[in-house]
Amino acid sequence: DVKVTQSSRYLVKRTGEKVFLECVQDMDHENMFWYRQDPGLGLRLIYFSYDVKMKEKGDIPEGYSVSREKKERFSLILESASTNQTSMYLCATSLGSSYNEQFFGPGTRLTVL
Amino acid sequence: AQSVTQPDIHITVSEGASLELRCNYSYGATPYLFWYVQSPGQGLQLLLKYFSGDTLVQGIKGFEAEFKRSQSSFNLRKPSVHWSDAAEYFCAVESGDMRFGAGTRLTVKP
C-alpha cells in the first residue's frame, strides 16, 4: 500500500512566522501535490511537482512556495503565515503517467493566530 | 470552464436506507472520474473510479457509481447505509489535472 505521511496532524503558528509542512511518500511516485481544504470549497490545488526539483503553480499559489529536493519528499512553505492561511492542508501523490488516482496523506490542520 | 458540481452540501439518511450522492461535471471530453471518502480528521480514500468500459463501477465498502454521458453525471450509490458511512464524499474529475467537487457531508441517523 502507498503510504503518505505528513509531519504534523495539528499545528498552531503565529502571524508572520515561517511555516514548513512536510510530506513523505514511500512508493516511488513521481507526482506530488499540495491542496488546501476549506468548508464548502472542496480541495484547491496550491502547488504540484512532477519530478525532483520541478514545481508548478496550482490554482492558489499566492503566499506559498514548495521544495522538492528528493523524490519522496515534498515540502510546502508559508513564508509569512497569515490568518487566512488557517486551513487543512493535504498532500497527495500519484504515478507519473496521466489520469491516475491520487493517494492522500492524513492532513495537517494549521491554525494561524 | 471545466467544473465539478456536487449539488448537495449535506445529506442525512437513516441507517439501512439507500443513498445516492450526485456529481455533475462540465468537460469537453469524457474525463476520468473518481469518488473519494474522507472520514473525520483523515485524508481522502479512493472509493471507486471510472476510466472506460462498463458504466456501472463497483467500489469498496459496498459503493457503486454509474457514469451517464448524456447527463454528464457520475452519481454514487449504496443500497443500505451503515453508521460507519458517515463522512464527507468528494467527486473528482481528471482531464489533464484533477478537479474536486466541494463535497457532500453524509450524516447517518440511527
Side-chain angles (χ1 to χ4, degrees), chain A residues 8-67:
Chain A
S8 305
R9 293 300 302 274
Y10 300 93
L11 207 53
V12 180
K13 296 292 183 180
R14 296 207 175 273
T15 302
E17 281 193 78
K18 190 168 186 175
V19 181
F20 292 87
L21 303 182
E22 300 267 304
C23 176
V24 178
Q25 52 108 352
D26 67 357
M27 282 300 292
D28 205 34
H29 282 182
E30 290 82 2
N31 304 333
M32 297 188 76
F33 308 83
W34 275 108
Y35 295 91
R36 65 176 282 175
Q37 180 183 11
D38 299 288
L41 297 177
L43 277 69
R44 293 180 291 167
L45 183 63
I46 304 171
Y47 267 95
F48 60 101
S49 169
Y50 289 148
D51 201 350
V52 175
K53 297 194 184 293
M54 289 184 62
K55 59 185 178 184
E56 299 285 342
K57 293 180 180 179
D59 298 321
I60 52 164
E62 296 78 18
Y64 304 94
S65 62
V66 290
S67 172

Side-chain angles (χ1 to χ4, degrees), chain B residues 4-108:
Chain B
V4 183
T5 303
Q6 292 181 248
D8 305 305
I9 296 172
H10 183 206
I11 284 181
T12 300
V13 300
S14 297
E15 190 168 16
S18 64
L19 171 71
E20 182 169 31
L21 302 182
R22 297 182 290 164
C23 174
N24 294 96
Y25 64 90
S26 172
Y27 279 80
T30 300
Y32 287 24
L33 301 159
F34 305 84
W35 274 100
Y36 287 86
V37 61
Q38 184 182 34
S39 298
Q42 303 297 317
L44 276 67
Q45 180 185 18
L46 182 71
L47 281 176
L48 47 78
K49 59 190 176 186
Y50 173 77
F51 288 173
S52 65
D54 192 346
T55 56
L56 185 64
V57 293
Q58 302 297 321
I60 62 171
K61 305 184 187 220
F63 285 92
E64 66 179 25
E66 185 172 14
F67 168 61
K68 291 186 177 179
R69 184 190 304 274
S70 61
Q71 298 176 20
S72 296
S73 68
F74 188 55
N75 294 347
L76 181 71
R77 300 195 294 247
K78 187 168 184 178
S80 178
V81 169
H82 188 262
W83 64 266
S84 61
D85 293 325
E88 188 144 23
Y89 292 80
F90 292 93
C91 179
V93 172
E94 165 74 81
S95 183
D97 60 349
M98 184 82 83
R99 296 286 170 179
F100 290 83
T104 297
R105 185 161 63 91
L106 174 65
T107 298
V108 181

Side-chain angles (χ1 to χ4, degrees), chain A residues 16 24 59 71 77 111:
Chain A
V24 178
D59 298 321
K71 188 175 184 179
I77 303 155
T111 301

